[in-house]
Amino acid sequence: MRRNLVAGNWKMNGSGETLAGLAELSRTNQSPTCDIAICPPFPLLPAGATALSGGHIALGAQDCHAAFSGAHTGDVSAQMLAEAGCDYVIVGHSERRAAYGETDANVAAKATAATGAGLQPIICLGETIDQRQSGLALDVVSEQLKGSVPETEDASRLVVAYEPVWAIGTGEVATVTQIAEVHDVLRANLLDRFGARAEQIRLLYGGSVKANNAKDIFAVANVDGALVGGASLQPSDFQPIIDAAT
Ligand code: PGA
């Protein structure tokens, strides 16, 4: 009942040249059986919207502010992203939690702003290597889920991405056993909180997802797709991951 989502997080990468790849992806994926999104940096959103228009790949951003408008120099509101053609926005990525001190409460407020603007927030969470080695991974992600996922009438708009910090950009992917354990706990927590509506919330895995491990990861129960960093920049790397999810 949940449709897989494969979302690319370009981080602070990409250029006019990489955007040409979007047009190529759009052409290749005329009738995808999973949802696909690309989240480039803010300045590339208008050109990204043009490159993807008329196709089946959605556009997303990598962050938003919780407020509708106001004196927030350097920030961008969810409403502005919707107007720029976005359907998704990543919130609470571990790189932002670490670099800008974003708390679970900040992340929940951003996610609420996103749903209010008609966007689907991709709410990120995940434990550090120290937390995993101390046996705290399940407690940490449960706590982050509780604090970062907002109350909402329409749970089907929420996407949660489990991204163990130690697996991001390192080439070290979590094992399918580790992924299954965390995703089962996240689903159980969501069911406790949202009841049957929790079945509509997609749970993505992120952290060194590549062509050679995507199929095994997508076969795990309660994995509904992936948030892909490095391997989303080139169509030749990203397309096999899309294919593995379909
Ligand atoms: P990675 O990044 O695929 O390069 O590990 C994932 C992410 O940070 O979303």
Side-chain angles (χ1 to χ4, degrees), residues 61-229:
Q62 300 172 20
D63 184 40
C64 67
H65 196 278
F68 186 80
S69 63
H72 303 289
T73 303
D75 281 313
V76 172
S77 75
Q79 190 60 38
M80 290 169 180
L81 297 176
E83 281 169 21
C86 290
D87 288 318
Y88 294 90
V89 61
I90 298 168
V91 291
H93 191 282
S94 60
E95 287 156 10
R96 293 202 60 85
R97 287 179 187 257
Y100 299 99
E102 288 188 9
T103 63
D104 290 342
N106 297 146
V107 177
K110 290 176 181 210
T112 297
T115 54
L119 303 177
Q120 298 194 48
I122 301 174
I123 304 165
C124 300
L125 45 83
E127 82 284 359
T128 62
I129 191 64
D130 287 350
Q131 290 165 332
R132 176 156 286 275
Q133 285 172 348
S134 312
L136 294 173
L138 297 178
D139 290 342
V140 167
V141 296
S142 296
E143 199 56 33
Q144 287 178 324
L145 188 80
K146 192 165 148 206
S148 308
V149 175
E151 290 308 324
T152 174
E153 285 304 307
D154 187 3
S156 68
R157 300 201 72 75
L158 301 177
V159 180
V160 173
Y162 167 54
E163 298 204 306
V165 176
W166 47 272
I168 295 177
T170 58
E172 191 177 344
V173 66
T175 66
V176 288
T177 310
Q178 289 169 326
I179 297 172
E181 185 182 35
V182 171
H183 279 237
D184 287 353
V185 164
L186 294 176
R187 179 73 62 203
N189 283 347
L190 290 170
L191 282 165
D192 273 353
R193 178 147 159 220
F194 291 99
R197 291 181 299 147
E199 295 290 0
Q200 301 174 315
I201 302 175
R202 292 184 283 193
L203 290 179
L204 312 186
Y205 169 78
S208 299
V209 176
K210 309 274 179 229
N212 64 1
N213 57 29
K215 220 174 177 50
D216 289 343
I217 293 170
F218 296 150
V220 175
N222 280 318
V223 170
D224 308 308
L227 184 55
V228 184

